[in-house]
Amino acid sequence: MALKSFIEVQPDSHFSIQNLPYGVFKTAPDSVQRPCVAIGEYLLNLAEIAAAGLFDGSLLKDSDCFDQPNLNKFLSLGRPAWKEARATLQKLLSSTEPALRDNEALRSRSLIQLRKVAMVVPVAIQDYTDFFSSMHLPDNSRAASCESPNKILPNRFHLPIAYHGRASSIVISGTDIVRPRGQSAPIVNSPPHFGPSAKMDFELEMAAVVGTGNELGKPVDIHKAEDHIFGLVLMNDWSARDIQGWESVPLGPFLGKSFGTTISPWIVTLEALEPFKCDSPIQDPPPLPYLAEKTSQNYDISMEVLLRPVGQQDTQVLTRTNSKHLYWTLPQLFAHHTINGCNLQPGDLLGTGILSGPEQESFSCLLELTWSGQKPMVLSHGISRMFLEDGDEIIITGQSKGNGYTVGFGTCAGMIVPSPP
Amino acid sequence: MALKSFIEVQPDSHFSIQNLPYGVFKTAPDSVQRPCVAIGEYLLNLAEIAAAGLFDGSLLKDSDCFDQPNLNKFLSLGRPAWKEARATLQKLLSSTEPALRDNEALRSRSLIQLRKVAMVVPVAIQDYTDFFSSMHLPDNSRAASCESPNKILPNRFHLPIAYHGRASSIVISGTDIVRPRGQSAPIVNSPPHFGPSAKMDFELEMAAVVGTGNELGKPVDIHKAEDHIFGLVLMNDWSARDIQGWESVPLGPFLGKSFGTTISPWIVTLEALEPFKCDSPIQDPPPLPYLAEKTSQNYDISMEVLLRPVGQQDTQVLTRTNSKHLYWTLPQLFAHHTINGCNLQPGDLLGTGILSGPEQESFSCLLELTWSGQKPMVLSHGISRMFLEDGDEIIITGQSKGNGYTVGFGTCAGMIVPSPP
């Protein structure tokens, strides 16, 4: 019999007692920010629970980690503290436990309807790295541009390729994305084109949230890497393909990406995702010893990308895929990132890169779905898209189905708004 | 007659009263960090000066910006406050002003010999961007590998190419740099090589320190960009060429750079550098309007890179160059970075990229000096180098000579130490 909460949770709600994802909320634009977990249509304010003395385990008893404007301090405490918090909260919210259930004053202080709050970026993100760990992306993209993937990317099955992303422009779901202006490639001998991007795209990704970091100069062993990862968020790595195409040789993506990256407000913990572990794709060639795991596992999370076209009420499905298609695992991303001694810190984000699956229906950006802008994607109601238009909204969701419950991420949404004049 | 301080400053000291570079110091490993300026062989503790009520201008009178562990709050106040601080400090330190000169108690509290303190990274660096703004680098590098620069980099005279760097691994001068381990390209069909980098290099750069930032979605006009820049530091962008070469297609440099980046402790302000402005190289083709300045100016700063080879007492000169060779100006870097709406924040670093001049003697990394590792650099005492060895120390200096005084950066130094086993 599955654990149940005294708070009503519909079977298809993303926020079951088995999930309890972490976020940070505020009740008014200028009010304080405090950590919380989601349960059904409510959040539980962890600062109130701590103030009431209900975190009574040995690791969190005297901690001020929830009396903070972000989750970084809690993250820095490590997996034993994360497990203790989860056990405390699952017990406190269960239908059989009276401590919170029967304390009306505390309930009214600590449980708030989600629709009454604003969620904020839950961690202070020092650094953000975006990997390229899908098995399928390069094939799909290169197929689209008629190039041979293994000739161009001989390294991609030996290491998870990555670049440093821009941390400052990471925004919370619901934030408008201003269409960037910039240069794109010139036609023959004319100067480069300048103006609002004409090739706005989304990228469906997830990102690992680093829990505990490592010291500069001290790589983390592959077998210990998983313990450094707190959880996952949904991510839309918005991309201006024309700006990106012109600027990115030889130093990689820059302004084509740094105008905005959207994340979901909720961090789903690795503990909540544990029941949904599945085998990873077989890695051939075998990874070098510093990346070799005893068993390589992914998470079976169903992902969907919806488009609400400008001027329309209804959404349409652009893509359905699954995070299990990732070639490189989360511990491999972490171990690779630190093998040179680079120091990661609590709250750092490690983007997985695009989550494309093998079939066209699972391609995870318009660049792939339209075969590099060669043929438009035809949708219902006479709508088609090569790239995104002003007023278009992209909504990403992701969830795993348990026995009678759901572990989900909520949504990661953003609308394109016009460039400044 | 040049302004003089009551503190003795030798004419070739980098830290004249005309300079007054900003840093952050501590007197013991666990003591508080406080902002300071350098003057001769001393620092002036700005928290003490503020506590004594000597910042009496309208902008800084009631500010706690110097009662902080870093300079970010002061930087966020903007150029009028920076000018007010400079005027206050130049007056206070001048030979004719008694307020500090004749207050022995305050002098003993606020003036500390530089050799008695440890300097720390002076700003909390949220994001670090490295540009590629030398006029000469690509020519030199490509010449070294016999390729045509304009074919490979058609964008480089239209925009300052850049990549997001790793902020967490930026360290203060004097910090040892652990030789990174990592993958390098396989020979034919064998697996990639793994081990300590065999191609350790330095890169002579400067970095602009962002003072005031901009809001996400709001580009900064080229004519207002200079006002957002507080000052400059020296930077050594250490590079592992073998790791970089294998990993960096198509997403740019990653682990080949992120194991450590050294900066000088002292930020020299644009006010102090004002007398050393000089014309920039002519930009042809003319830049697009969003990058077009009324006049484009660089700073005439003489730069030198010294090597102290492992086991030697003496240093040898590897390179002499000048920051005036930069093709793109600081305001252009800032305006380009924000044209897509990307938000910069106080304390962000904008690396200039390599400061190579046109002649071989001015090449600013070993990759160039050794023609891509084709011919070793022959030094005195029977020493030669293709790349750096464990125990080698690289020391960068930079200075501008005024009439009877020097405005200098001190040094930016680091030693390579062996990889972990």
Side-chain angles (χ1 to χ4, degrees):
Chain A
M1 173 82 187
L3 187 64
K4 289 200 91 154
S5 175
F6 64 85
I7 303 207
E8 191 187 332
V9 180
Q10 300 296 328
D12 60 352
S13 165
H14 282 198
F15 306 139
S16 58
I17 192 169
Q18 287 78 10
N19 188 357
L20 300 183
Y22 286 82
V24 172
F25 77 101
K26 56 185 181 181
T27 52
D30 295 329
S31 69
V32 294
Q33 303 182 174
R34 284 294 174 263
C36 61
V37 292
I39 176 83
E41 295 178 6
Y42 289 82
L43 66 77
L44 182 67
N45 180 342
L46 301 182
E48 291 289 350
I49 298 301
L54 293 173
F55 284 107
D56 54 2
S58 60
L59 300 172
L60 296 172
K61 197 165 42 180
D62 299 313
S63 174
D64 65 351
C65 69
F66 296 123
D67 203 27
Q68 303 286 337
N70 57 50
L71 286 163
N72 293 54
K73 187 157 187 183
F74 175 54
L75 266 52
S76 73
L77 300 180
R79 177 133 283 131
W82 312 334
K83 283 182 184 286
E84 184 178 298
R86 179 173 172 82
T88 298
L89 293 169
Q90 280 195 329
K91 182 173 173 218
L92 207 56
L93 287 164
S94 77
S95 56
T96 55
E97 170 69 28
L100 176 61
R101 185 192 66 194
D102 299 346
N103 183 338
E104 194 151 345
L106 182 58
R107 279 179 60 166
S108 76
R109 280 205 307 279
S110 63
L111 286 163
I112 308 176
Q113 282 185 288
L114 288 174
R115 64 182 179 78
K116 293 188 175 167
V117 304
M119 301 301 297
V120 301
V121 175
V123 282
I125 303 165
Q126 303 290 318
D127 277 291
Y128 149 50
T129 301
D130 203 13
F131 286 89
F132 199 40
S133 44
S134 166
M135 189 164 174
H136 298 287
L137 168 67
D139 285 327
N140 297 343
S141 300
R142 299 305 158 186
S145 55
C146 306
E147 292 170 357
S148 159
N150 289 320
K151 188 172 164 201
I152 299 196
L153 301 174
N155 51 5
R156 78 184 183 102
F157 290 123
H158 293 289
L159 54 80
I161 309 171
Y163 68 99
H164 307 294
R166 179 83 194 173
S168 71
S169 52
I170 296 174
V171 297
I172 197 71
S173 178
T175 307
D176 288 342
I177 298 294
V178 178
R179 182 181 295 268
R181 292 182 299 164
Q183 297 190 25
S184 51
I187 299 162
V188 201
N189 287 323
S190 60
H193 178 262
F194 177 80
S197 169
K199 296 190 174 179
M200 280 292 290
D201 201 353
F202 68 91
E203 285 191 358
L204 166 59
E205 302 195 19
M206 308 193 78
V209 180
V210 171
T212 49
N214 64 301
E215 259 181 77
L216 186 62
K218 302 270 175 71
V220 171
D221 185 89
I222 180 72
H223 301 108
K224 295 181 180 160
E226 190 174 15
D227 266 348
H228 288 260
I229 298 170
F230 178 68
L232 288 169
V233 291
L234 304 176
M235 177 180 277
N236 184 344
D237 181 27
W238 304 94
S239 300
R241 300 298 181 193
D242 40 3
I243 296 172
Q244 186 186 347
W246 171 235
E247 73 179 354
S248 67
V249 173
L251 296 182
F254 180 51
L255 301 184
K257 302 270 193 179
S258 63
F259 56 89
T261 307
T262 307
I263 61 170
S264 63
W266 299 107
I267 308 173
V268 177
T269 64
L270 294 200
E271 279 72 30
L273 291 168
E274 184 70 25
F276 309 103
K277 273 191 164 170
C278 61
D279 287 342
S280 295
I282 289 167
Q283 297 184 329
D284 178 27
L288 286 168
Y290 82 95
L291 292 175
E293 300 176 281
K294 291 191 183 98
T295 54
S296 283
Q297 295 198 288
N298 274 351
Y299 297 96
D300 181 348
I301 306 167
S302 300
M303 315 285 298
E304 197 170 63
V305 180
L306 305 171
L307 168 70
R308 181 176 285 122
V310 54
Q312 304 278 315
Q313 286 296 325
D314 297 337
T315 58
Q316 304 198 34
V317 176
L318 293 183
T319 288
R320 288 199 178 96
T321 184
N322 192 297
S323 63
K324 71 186 175 190
H325 297 302
L326 291 172
Y327 186 79
W328 298 102
T329 68
L330 301 182
Q332 286 177 325
L333 303 188
F334 198 100
H336 182 66
H337 205 318
T338 66
I339 187 62
N340 70 339
C342 182
N343 54 330
L344 304 191
Q345 300 179 96
D348 284 355
L349 290 194
L350 309 182
T352 57
I354 272 187
L355 294 172
S356 294
E359 307 86 17
Q360 174 155 12
E361 294 70 31
S362 67
F363 291 180
S364 296
C365 61
L366 286 168
L367 190 69
E368 292 197 321
L369 288 163
T370 67
W371 298 84
S372 285
Q374 302 294 304
K375 53 177 194 189
M377 194 173 177
V378 178
L379 303 164
S380 313
H381 308 305
I383 289 167
S384 71
R385 284 290 182 276
M386 201 78 95
F387 290 101
L388 297 172
E389 299 186 0
D390 289 346
D392 280 356
E393 185 181 10
I394 292 286
I395 302 152
I396 296 173
T397 65
Q399 58 180 315
S400 299
K401 285 282 181 195
N403 191 359
Y405 68 92
T406 304
V407 168
F409 289 78
T411 59
C412 173
M415 186 193 285
I416 306 291
V417 299
S419 295
Chain B
M1 173 82 185
L3 185 65
K4 288 201 92 154
S5 175
F6 65 85
I7 303 206
E8 190 187 333
V9 180
Q10 300 296 327
D12 60 353
S13 165
H14 283 199
F15 305 138
S16 59
I17 192 170
Q18 288 80 7
N19 188 358
L20 300 183
Y22 286 82
V24 171
F25 76 101
K26 56 185 181 180
T27 52
D30 295 328
S31 69
V32 294
Q33 303 181 175
R34 284 296 174 260
C36 60
V37 292
I39 176 82
E41 295 178 8
Y42 289 82
L43 66 79
L44 182 67
N45 179 343
L46 300 182
E48 291 289 350
I49 298 302
L54 293 173
F55 283 108
D56 54 2
S58 61
L59 299 173
L60 295 171
K61 198 164 44 180
D62 300 313
S63 174
D64 65 350
C65 69
F66 295 124
D67 203 28
Q68 303 286 337
N70 56 50
L71 287 162
N72 293 54
K73 188 159 187 181
F74 175 54
L75 267 52
S76 73
L77 300 179
R79 175 132 287 128
W82 311 335
K83 283 182 185 285
E84 185 179 296
R86 179 173 172 82
T88 298
L89 292 169
Q90 279 194 330
K91 182 173 172 219
L92 206 57
L93 288 165
S94 76
S95 56
T96 56
E97 170 67 29
L100 177 61
R101 185 192 66 195
D102 300 346
N103 183 338
E104 193 149 347
L106 182 58
R107 281 178 59 164
S108 76
R109 279 204 308 280
S110 63
L111 286 163
I112 307 177
Q113 282 185 288
L114 289 173
R115 63 182 179 79
K116 292 188 176 168
V117 304
M119 301 302 296
V120 301
V121 175
V123 283
I125 302 166
Q126 302 290 317
D127 276 291
Y128 148 50
T129 301
D130 204 13
F131 286 88
F132 199 40
S133 42
S134 166
M135 188 164 176
H136 297 286
L137 167 66
D139 286 328
N140 297 342
S141 298
R142 298 307 158 186
S145 54
C146 307
E147 291 170 359
S148 160
N150 289 321
K151 189 171 163 200
I152 298 196
L153 301 175
N155 51 6
R156 78 184 182 102
F157 290 123
H158 293 289
L159 54 81
I161 310 172
Y163 68 99
H164 306 294
R166 178 83 194 174
S168 70
S169 52
I170 295 174
V171 297
I172 197 71
S173 177
T175 307
D176 287 342
I177 298 294
V178 178
R179 181 181 295 267
R181 292 180 300 163
Q183 295 191 26
S184 52
I187 298 161
V188 202
N189 287 321
S190 60
H193 178 262
F194 177 81
S197 169
K199 296 190 175 179
M200 281 293 289
D201 200 353
F202 68 92
E203 285 191 358
L204 166 60
E205 301 195 20
M206 308 193 77
V209 180
V210 172
T212 50
N214 64 301
E215 259 180 78
L216 186 62
K218 303 272 174 69
V220 171
D221 186 89
I222 181 74
H223 301 109
K224 295 181 178 159
E226 190 174 16
D227 265 348
H228 289 261
I229 298 169
F230 177 69
L232 288 169
V233 291
L234 304 176
M235 177 181 276
N236 184 344
D237 181 27
W238 303 94
S239 299
R241 301 298 182 193
D242 39 4
I243 295 172
Q244 186 186 348
W246 171 234
E247 73 179 354
S248 67
V249 174
L251 297 181
F254 180 52
L255 301 185
K257 301 270 194 179
S258 63
F259 56 89
T261 306
T262 307
I263 61 171
S264 64
W266 299 108
I267 308 174
V268 177
T269 64
L270 294 200
E271 280 73 30
L273 292 168
E274 185 69 26
F276 309 103
K277 273 192 165 171
C278 60
D279 287 341
S280 295
I282 288 168
Q283 297 184 331
D284 179 27
L288 286 169
Y290 83 95
L291 291 175
E293 300 176 281
K294 291 191 184 98
T295 51
S296 283
Q297 295 198 287
N298 274 352
Y299 298 96
D300 182 348
I301 306 167
S302 300
M303 315 285 299
E304 198 170 65
V305 180
L306 306 171
L307 168 69
R308 181 177 284 121
V310 54
Q312 305 277 316
Q313 287 295 324
D314 297 337
T315 59
Q316 305 198 32
V317 176
L318 293 184
T319 288
R320 287 199 179 96
T321 184
N322 192 298
S323 64
K324 71 186 177 191
H325 297 304
L326 291 172
Y327 185 80
W328 298 103
T329 69
L330 300 183
Q332 287 176 325
L333 302 188
F334 198 99
H336 182 66
H337 204 318
T338 67
I339 186 62
N340 70 340
C342 182
N343 54 330
L344 304 192
Q345 301 180 95
D348 284 354
L349 291 193
L350 309 182
T352 57
I354 272 188
L355 294 172
S356 293
E359 307 87 16
Q360 174 155 12
E361 293 71 31
S362 66
F363 291 179
S364 296
C365 61
L366 286 168
L367 190 69
E368 292 197 321
L369 289 163
T370 66
W371 297 84
S372 284
Q374 304 294 304
K375 50 177 196 189
M377 193 171 178
V378 178
L379 303 164
S380 314
H381 308 304
I383 288 167
S384 71
R385 283 291 181 276
M386 200 79 95
F387 290 100
L388 296 172
E389 299 185 1
D390 289 345
D392 280 356
E393 185 181 10
I394 291 286
I395 303 152
I396 296 174
T397 65
Q399 59 180 317
S400 299
K401 284 283 180 196
N403 192 357
Y405 68 92
T406 304
V407 168
F409 288 78
T411 59
C412 173
M415 186 193 284
I416 307 291
V417 299
S419 295

